Amino acid sequence: MHQWVWLAYVRAALIPLLFVELALLGVYMLSHEWSKTERIVAIQALASNELLRLVENHVDAIERQLDGVSQLTELLRQETQDALARPVEKDLELPNRYAMTKDGALYSRVNDGGAAVFFSGFVKINDSIKTKISQTSRLDATLRRIVDVNPLVVQAYFNSHDSLNRIWPYFDVLSQYPEKMDIPSYNFYYEADAEHNPDRKTLWIDAYLDPAGQGWMVSSISPVYKGDFLEGVVGLDITLDAIVKQVLALRLPWQGFAVLISKDGMLLALPERAEKLFNLHELTSHHYDQAIRQETFKPDAFNIHRRPDMRQLSEALTRDQQNNTTLVYFNEPYLLASKTLPSTGWRLAIFAPENEIFKPAKVLAARLTRIGWYILGGLFIFYLLFFGFLYQRAKRLSRDISDPLQGIQNMAIQIGDGNFQPDAPVFKVKEFKSTVNQMLLTADKLQYAEHQLIGAKEQAEQANYAKGAFLANMSHEIRTPLNAITGLAELAKNDNLDNTQKRYLNQIQQSSHSLLAIINDILDLSKIESGKVKLENTRFVIEEMLQGLADHFIRMIEHKRLQLFIHIHKTVPDVVWGDEQRIRQILINLIGNAVKFTEHGEIHVIVDAVKHRSRYGVRFLVRDTGIGISTESIEHLFQVFTQADVSISRKFGGTGLGLAICQQLVNLMGGAINVSSRLGEGSAFEFTVELPGEFTADSSTVKLQSGLRVIVVDGSRASCEVLQYYLQEWHCHVCLAYSVNQAIDIIKQDSTPFDLMLLDAELLQEDFGGRTDLHAIPNIILLTDSYYRKPLQLPMDLNANTTVLLNKPVLRTSLLHAIRSSFQACSEQKTIVGTDDQVTSNKLSQDYIQFFRDLDALLLENAYIDSELLNKIDCLAGDGNESRQYKALLDCLMAYDYPKARDMLSDIINSLPGDTA
């Protein structure tokens, strides 16, 4: 209120007068600012031209210095070629000047005025090496003169392709070099080879740490060829300290400084002022605690292209700045001019502080600004006294209005804090009295509403507790009789029952399991809604979890003759941390629905790594070729007790709880679940959750024989694609065929033999045509579906040394173990190696023959045939004549007609291949 009254005085009396006086002062300040801007523009133009002139002159001077070093490098190259071309006059005298280490490294042990010599133990010394050491001894005088004549050069050297190093000035090479030093692996050698320097010219390399102990330096190098063979590389080294002291020791105006930058953005040489500006310390020296065993370059902190704080400088130098200047900002603005050195590609950049350039103009502007401030100060003192007088008048008036409002505000604060009987002030003004009374009535209503809410909350908590207790009791009361029903039904099946009674018991068990699943879903839903579900964070392997799920659904898939494919991308970590039980529960619901609603076709489970909410997560995708879902039904799919269609519940069963539970579990893990589907074409459910993980050392080191040639023969295109993905991940050469004839054509057209064949067992029934083209394949992996029950016998065309059985769906680890087993097995005969709990045998059908013979012995003794044997016979029933024989045998056994069963057994055993009885 006080402020409002005060502003009313200001608007009415002060603003008009103040506006006129400030307008006059503004004209003065604007004219002053305009003149200052014009002066600064003129000074900036002069400074830009001067910096461009300076950088031009200094680039020419540095270019001449570097060109002198390049000419000396070329001279050394020519001298080296001449020395290597002339024969030696005497053999190398090893005992006098040279010695050898236990590892075979040769080194100069005394300083007799010549260059230091080191021959690495990386290559075994021979007469040719000794001759080369004698030949290069002619270079000692040249190396010494080059170092003496040019103050920039700190050392000159020759490096050969077989790791011989001759270098001046002399130093103790054995204490500096590693004995197994591979010289061609360092940049001062390979930068001059044919790949990096096809023109065979003298060139400069960027800063690196010298293995010879001189610290950080740059080098001018040139290749030495004998014909087209690179015999070695000569080089002259310049330390960064020498560049800073001799090349960058420039006298620049405005306290400016120069920096030398490589063509890759590496800061090659920095004066002291640049070190402070870039927060770096120039690497002019190095403490050699141990030998430099590999090439070492400047760290990324010296690369302007890799430092976020130097992005503006990087962009300015990336653009063409040859005839222009630009302004860059660090702790203060700097005017930048730069030019590239033609011989090296390096760039000389000159920085001048803008404050120093504009200092004269700013001094004059400061004086004029002070005059303006004096004028403004006088006006301020006048209006300060005038405002004081008006302030006292406004204060008295505002107090008369604000005190009643402050009292009402205090009442509102007390009510907000829960005091519904606030202190009510007494006012003389009628309107204020009415406001206070209305606030007291409102406080009474709020107090009543609060009591109502507290009671409702207590009732809700009691109801929630009662609900939890009821579900817990009902779970116990229902599970106990259900477990008893299931167990007694299982025991009853072991008695002598006819087929009808067994069918009734199976229906009792199935109904009990269905009811138990519904109860579990309801309990899970209740726990989720009440917030009692706690997520675990355990370490688990996704591939092992998916293998367990495949085993869990194998019977259902076997019964419906479906195909299950599991594809884990290589981007998925081997080990992750998360709630394995909940993820397994989600996948059981999704895969179970896919199996339930798919009558024929395929089910794909795909796992890959994706970006999820700015972080990386694991995505699980379950896709089927089932009945599909309409667009209208997808909107309500994740609601509790809701299914896509009422008829689905009647035909396929279910309560509509599974997907609702899946969505809530995914939400609890911070993920998202989505569905896409078309009616009659199938559905795809996917969910993504954040699962921190890591790639284990075992998985990263798993390697097969490089370039392994594999042919995959499978009638399923999806199966071929999954196998091809895994094999190509291991760098195998893969060919795909969808039939035996196509495979034979590929093998015939390809002149290089294959090392391995992955063959679908279903294709064994095809005619191989007596082709000898297949004899060249030494190893075969047979891919069998879980429901494949036909006797397996390789055709004579497949003359494999080793045959491995591998069950579908194929995962990365099981495929890798199968391939390894195939190549590790060694036998003179055909050997069948089983994987995935299959049995090793010399003939695929021999197990079946032995099984039927054991069964015949039991029937002869009139022994009891238990349910396990009956189930095994039932599993053997496939398609064709065998199916009818096995089913007829099963009917006789269940009817206890053992004589007839023995006759049928005799026919079956005689029809099996490989029977010698």
Side-chain angles (χ1 to χ4, degrees):
M1 181 59 68
H2 171 68
Q3 184 180 7
W4 178 79
V5 175
W6 167 247
L7 290 177
Y9 275 116
V10 171
R11 286 192 298 267
L14 299 179
I15 288 181
L17 180 60
L18 186 62
F19 177 76
V20 174
E21 295 187 8
L22 291 179
L24 294 175
L25 183 61
V27 171
Y28 169 80
M29 299 298 289
L30 287 174
S31 62
H32 158 61
E33 187 67 26
W34 176 80
S35 63
K36 182 182 74 171
T37 303
E38 290 297 320
R39 286 193 298 272
I40 288 177
V41 170
I43 293 175
Q44 186 177 22
L46 291 175
S48 297
N49 293 332
E50 179 64 14
L51 286 179
L52 291 174
R53 185 188 67 79
L54 288 172
V55 76
E56 180 78 24
N57 293 340
H58 289 307
V59 163
D60 293 341
I62 295 173
E63 183 68 21
R64 286 193 295 273
Q65 288 179 295
L66 298 181
D67 186 58
V69 177
S70 297
Q71 292 177 5
L72 291 175
T73 307
E74 176 62 21
L75 173 63
L76 179 58
R77 184 191 68 80
Q78 296 175 4
E79 291 289 334
T80 304
Q81 279 187 332
D82 293 342
L84 294 176
R86 287 180 292 165
V88 295
E89 299 176 356
K90 62 178 179 178
D91 296 334
L92 178 68
E93 297 179 1
L94 184 62
N96 296 332
R97 188 171 189 266
Y98 303 102
M100 294 188 67
T101 66
K102 294 185 297 183
D103 292 334
L106 182 143
Y107 64 96
S108 53
R109 61 180 180 179
V110 293
N111 183 5
D112 57 357
V117 175
F118 178 80
F119 178 75
S120 171
F122 193 80
V123 178
K124 186 176 181 180
I125 192 167
N126 52 36
D127 293 339
S128 175
I129 299 299
K130 294 180 181 179
T131 301
K132 187 180 300 181
I133 294 174
S134 299
Q135 288 175 322
T136 56
S137 64
R138 301 164 179 163
L139 300 176
D140 289 0
T142 303
L143 296 174
R144 180 171 60 253
R145 293 190 189 99
I146 289 175
V147 175
D148 293 342
V149 77
N150 194 309
L152 287 179
V153 179
V154 296
Q155 59 188 16
Y157 56 86
F158 165 72
N159 290 318
S160 71
H161 69 93
D162 43 15
S163 296
L164 170 65
N165 171 254
R166 179 175 290 275
I167 185 168
W168 174 269
Y170 181 88
F171 62 93
D172 185 5
V173 292
L174 192 61
S175 64
Q176 197 65 42
Y177 291 153
E179 295 185 12
K180 294 294 185 177
M181 182 178 184
D182 183 15
I183 291 179
S185 67
Y186 289 79
N187 68 322
F188 51 74
Y189 187 94
Y190 65 73
E191 290 285 355
D193 62 18
E195 179 182 355
H196 297 85
N197 185 20
D199 297 332
R200 303 184 181 182
K201 62 183 180 180
T202 300
L203 50 86
W204 288 84
I205 60 175
D206 294 343
Y208 66 94
L209 185 58
D210 180 29
Q214 294 293 339
W216 292 90
M217 59 175 53
V218 296
S219 297
S220 172
I221 60 175
S222 183
V224 178
Y225 280 87
K226 278 189 176 181
D228 291 332
F229 179 73
L230 179 62
E231 182 64 33
V233 176
V234 298
L236 304 182
D237 292 340
I238 302 177
T239 63
L240 297 188
D241 185 58
I243 293 179
V244 173
K245 292 180 179 178
Q246 300 184 43
V247 179
L248 297 184
L250 309 177
R251 297 179 61 86
L252 300 174
W254 306 302
Q255 298 183 13
F257 59 90
V259 173
L260 197 59
I261 305 172
S262 75
K263 55 188 175 183
D264 296 328
M266 188 66 71
L267 293 168
L268 294 178
L270 300 173
E272 184 177 356
R273 289 202 59 197
E275 292 179 2
K276 297 178 181 178
L277 182 65
F278 299 148
N279 193 23
L280 293 170
H281 181 70
E282 181 57 276
L283 304 175
T284 56
S285 62
H286 178 73
H287 183 63
Y288 288 83
D289 293 331
Q290 56 185 359
I292 304 302
R293 300 185 179 275
Q294 59 184 3
E295 56 182 356
T296 304
F297 304 104
K298 276 192 170 184
D300 288 345
F302 284 81
N303 195 311
I304 63 174
H305 297 324
R306 298 181 182 177
R307 286 182 53 172
D309 58 337
M310 292 189 183
R311 180 176 299 173
Q312 186 184 23
L313 174 60
S314 173
E315 294 175 353
L317 293 176
T318 302
R319 298 191 298 267
D320 185 13
Q321 297 292 332
Q322 299 292 341
N323 298 311
N324 219 339
T325 59
T326 187
L327 202 62
V328 294
Y329 293 87
F330 293 97
N331 54 347
E332 60 177 312
Y334 284 80
L335 196 62
L336 169 66
S338 65
K339 185 177 180 181
T340 302
L341 279 70
S343 62
T344 63
W346 300 342
R347 176 166 288 193
L348 179 68
I350 295 180
F351 296 82
E354 188 186 50
N355 293 336
E356 293 295 327
I357 296 174
F358 301 147
K359 189 174 183 179
K362 290 182 178 180
V363 170
L364 178 60
R367 293 176 182 174
L368 296 176
T369 302
R370 276 198 301 272
I371 296 174
W373 283 113
Y374 291 152
I375 297 173
L376 185 61
L379 290 176
F380 176 76
I381 293 173
F382 168 75
Y383 279 103
L384 185 63
L385 297 175
F386 188 50
F387 286 176
F389 170 74
L390 293 180
Y391 179 79
Q392 294 298 326
R393 294 292 302 272
K395 188 175 181 180
R396 283 197 297 270
L397 180 61
S398 62
R399 188 182 298 113
D400 295 337
I401 302 174
S402 62
D403 287 347
L405 295 179
Q406 185 65 40
I408 295 174
Q409 182 183 7
N410 292 335
M411 290 181 62
I413 293 174
Q414 294 180 34
I415 294 173
D417 292 338
N419 181 12
F420 298 107
Q421 300 295 328
D423 299 331
V426 179
F427 302 118
K428 298 178 181 179
V429 181
K430 180 180 179 182
E431 288 78 3
F432 288 150
K433 289 182 179 180
S434 177
T435 302
V436 170
N437 293 332
Q438 188 63 39
M439 290 186 67
L440 292 174
L441 292 175
T442 303
D444 293 338
K445 293 179 180 179
L446 289 174
Q447 185 176 19
Y448 175 77
E450 183 184 43
H451 290 316
Q452 293 293 107
L453 288 174
I454 292 174
K457 178 185 176 183
E458 292 176 350
Q459 292 178 0
E461 290 176 349
Q462 293 176 358
N464 190 38
Y465 175 79
K467 173 186 174 183
F470 171 77
L471 288 175
N473 292 332
M474 289 303 295
S475 171
H476 175 73
E477 295 299 331
I478 297 177
R479 285 173 184 266
T480 300
L482 277 179
N483 289 332
I485 293 172
T486 305
L488 292 174
E490 181 66 28
L491 292 174
K493 288 172 64 177
N494 294 329
D495 294 337
N496 295 327
L497 304 176
D498 57 28
N499 292 339
T500 301
Q501 291 172 328
K502 288 186 177 182
R503 186 171 64 253
Y504 290 160
L505 289 176
N506 287 334
Q507 291 176 356
I508 291 174
Q509 282 188 305
Q510 291 175 2
S511 300
S512 300
H513 289 311
S514 298
L515 183 56
L516 191 60
I518 294 172
I519 293 173
N520 290 334
D521 288 344
I522 294 175
L523 289 175
D524 285 341
L525 184 64
S526 175
K527 289 180 182 179
I528 294 172
E529 291 178 344
S530 61
K532 294 182 179 180
V533 174
K534 294 183 180 180
L535 298 177
E536 302 290 337
N537 188 25
T538 58
R539 181 179 183 273
F540 67 96
V541 179
I542 291 180
E543 184 173 352
E544 293 178 358
M545 179 187 69
L546 292 177
Q547 184 63 63
L549 290 174
D551 296 339
H552 176 78
F553 287 101
I554 201 68
R555 288 297 181 187
M556 297 175 63
I557 294 173
E558 172 185 339
H559 177 72
K560 302 188 74 171
R561 293 295 196 269
L562 302 176
Q563 285 189 309
L564 174 64
F565 300 103
I566 299 178
H567 188 180
I568 304 176
H569 282 251
K570 61 182 179 182
T571 55
V572 178
D574 301 300
V575 178
V576 296
W577 281 265
D579 195 329
E580 180 183 7
Q581 179 182 358
R582 296 302 177 185
I583 295 175
R584 182 190 299 272
Q585 182 178 356
I586 296 169
L587 288 173
I588 285 176
N589 272 296
L590 297 181
I591 299 175
N593 285 344
V595 176
K596 181 193 299 183
F597 298 116
T598 303
E599 295 299 329
H600 55 82
E602 304 170 349
I603 298 172
H604 293 259
V605 179
I606 302 173
V607 186
D608 58 2
V610 296
K611 193 171 185 180
H612 177 63
R613 297 180 180 175
S614 76
R615 299 175 64 183
Y616 285 93
V618 178
R619 179 179 64 177
F620 297 86
L621 172 64
V622 179
R623 185 173 65 238
D624 61 62
T625 57
I627 61 175
I629 308 170
S630 64
T631 305
E632 298 78 11
S633 301
I634 289 178
E635 300 177 0
H636 312 289
L637 197 61
F638 293 101
Q639 295 179 3
V640 180
F641 301 112
T642 301
Q643 290 189 330
D645 191 353
V646 178
S647 61
I648 289 178
S649 179
R650 293 195 301 266
K651 182 177 180 180
F652 297 98
T655 59
L657 289 175
L659 291 179
I661 293 174
C662 288
Q663 185 185 49
Q664 297 195 36
L665 288 176
V666 171
N667 292 338
L668 280 176
M669 289 185 281
I673 186 169
N674 299 296
V675 58
S676 60
S677 179
R678 295 187 66 178
L679 200 62
E681 297 183 8
S683 305
F685 288 82
E686 69 172 60
F687 67 95
T688 304
V689 291
E690 294 179 7
L691 296 176
E694 64 180 15
F695 292 90
T696 62
D698 292 338
S699 66
S700 62
T701 57
V702 167
K703 292 183 179 179
L704 294 175
Q705 178 184 346
S706 178
L708 190 68
R709 294 178 53 80
V710 184
I711 181 169
V712 179
V713 188
D714 197 321
S716 171
R717 186 175 297 272
S719 178
C720 288
E721 291 174 353
V722 172
L723 294 171
Q724 183 183 30
Y725 178 86
Y726 290 148
L727 292 169
Q728 288 181 345
E729 181 181 339
W730 299 324
H731 307 290
C732 297
H733 176 76
V734 185
C735 290
L736 303 181
Y738 304 107
S739 66
V740 172
N741 290 333
Q742 186 179 2
I744 293 173
D745 292 340
I746 293 175
I747 295 172
K748 182 178 179 181
Q749 295 172 5
D750 202 326
S751 59
T752 305
F754 287 92
D755 304 302
L756 175 67
M757 173 188 285
L758 272 65
L759 176 63
D760 185 5
E762 291 285 353
L763 300 180
L764 290 176
Q765 309 304 319
E766 293 190 13
D767 182 13
F768 283 73
R771 300 297 298 267
T772 59
D773 308 89
L774 302 177
H775 288 183
I777 301 179
N779 301 286
I780 295 177
I781 295 178
L782 284 181
L783 307 174
T784 63
D785 292 316
S786 58
Y787 54 79
Y788 190 91
R789 304 302 177 188
K790 299 175 182 178
L792 293 176
Q793 181 67 43
L794 289 177
M796 297 303 296
D797 310 82
L798 299 177
N799 190 24
N801 295 331
T802 304
T803 302
V804 175
L805 303 183
L806 180 61
N807 276 348
K808 298 180 181 180
V810 178
L811 278 78
R812 180 187 286 105
T813 301
S814 60
L815 177 58
L816 181 62
H817 290 167
I819 295 176
R820 284 178 168 176
S821 298
S822 175
F823 283 96
Q824 290 174 358
C826 180
S827 176
E828 295 181 357
Q829 302 177 0
K830 289 186 179 180
T831 302
I832 308 301
V833 181
T835 63
D836 299 336
D837 297 329
Q838 295 170 343
V839 181
T840 302
S841 130
N842 288 330
K843 292 185 179 180
L844 293 175
S845 59
Q846 183 176 350
D847 285 348
Y848 298 119
I849 296 173
Q850 186 61 42
F851 167 72
F852 286 127
R853 286 177 176 171
D854 294 341
L855 180 60
D856 184 60
L858 291 175
L859 294 179
L860 182 62
E861 298 173 1
N862 201 25
Y864 173 70
I865 307 300
D866 58 15
S867 58
E868 183 178 355
L869 291 176
L870 295 177
N871 288 335
K872 187 170 184 179
I873 297 172
D874 186 39
C875 292
L876 293 176
D879 299 327
N881 294 328
E882 298 93 339
S883 173
R884 289 190 294 272
Q885 285 181 312
Y886 296 157
K887 289 179 179 178
L889 174 63
L890 184 64
D891 292 339
C892 291
L893 292 174
M894 296 183 66
Y896 300 102
D897 189 355
Y898 288 179
K900 185 176 181 181
R902 289 198 62 206
D903 294 338
M904 299 184 68
L905 267 177
S906 177
D907 295 337
I908 292 175
I909 292 174
N910 293 331
S911 65
L912 287 175
D915 180 26
T916 59

